[in-house]
Amino acid sequence: MQKNLYFIIILFCLSSCYTYQVKKQADPATANNEELKKGGAPTNISSAQMKTAESLNPNAQQAPAPINIQERLAPNKNVKINVDGKTYKVIVDKWESDSLVVHPVHQPKKILKFHKNQINAEKIGEKRFSQPIADIITVTVYAGIAVGIWSLLR
């Protein structure tokens, strides 16, 4: 029993509350439809303008705004990028014209360069704190402490 408890405690000590999360682009058409369903008017388009636009071209969908890679990959950011099908966890150093200069997270002396056309802009994950993971770890640790106290008192 104690071996399993120690193993679980060690696993949670090694786990991290930080994850790489990909930002999803907000689709303006979807946001306007959700506002209409809630009964509110869209903030930037009047209902008359919306009806006119729909009647002119009902099947047209707005193209998503292009993702500016250079803004998303600012210096000193810890990111997970996909380059030519291979995933890298890197820290951005700088931009040299159209090339991104980075180093792997745990290897600061190793320098990598990628052209901005090689990077998949839709799969750029930024390292962020994950509250659900932190909550799960906290509850599990509290449960482990309770089991430990219970086993000592028994």
Side-chain angles (χ1 to χ4, degrees), residues 1 5 8-9 12 137-153:
M1 171 69 183
L5 183 63
I8 291 171
I9 290 172
F12 280 112
I137 292 172
T138 303
V139 168
T140 307
V141 168
Y142 284 151
I145 291 170
V147 167
I149 292 171
W150 177 76
S151 67
L152 287 174
L153 297 176

Side-chain angles (χ1 to χ4, degrees), residues 37-134:
K37 288 179 184 176
K38 292 178 183 176
T43 56
N44 58 354
I45 301 174
S46 69
S47 60
Q49 289 174 338
M50 182 81 120
K51 289 178 184 176
T52 305
E54 287 177 359
S55 65
L56 292 176
N57 198 356
N59 294 330
Q61 293 182 356
Q62 293 180 349
I67 301 168
N68 189 349
I69 294 177
Q70 291 183 341
E71 287 178 7
R72 293 203 41 208
L73 296 174
N76 297 324
K77 270 195 173 179
N78 190 340
V79 294
K80 181 176 169 182
I81 58 175
N82 190 322
V83 179
D84 295 332
K86 193 170 180 185
T87 303
Y88 297 91
K89 291 181 182 178
V90 296
I91 296 175
V92 178
D93 291 329
K94 62 184 174 181
W95 281 94
E96 290 179 352
S97 123
D98 284 346
S99 296
L100 177 67
V101 179
V102 297
H103 65 271
V105 173
H106 298 292
Q107 300 172 349
K109 292 183 180 179
K110 185 176 180 182
I111 302 297
L112 303 171
K113 283 188 178 183
F114 303 113
H115 191 271
K116 72 177 184 179
N117 293 338
Q118 292 177 302
I119 301 168
N120 186 348
E122 295 175 358
K123 292 187 178 181
I124 296 174
E126 295 180 20
K127 189 171 185 178
R128 296 198 174 184
F129 183 77
S130 176
Q131 189 64 44
I133 293 175

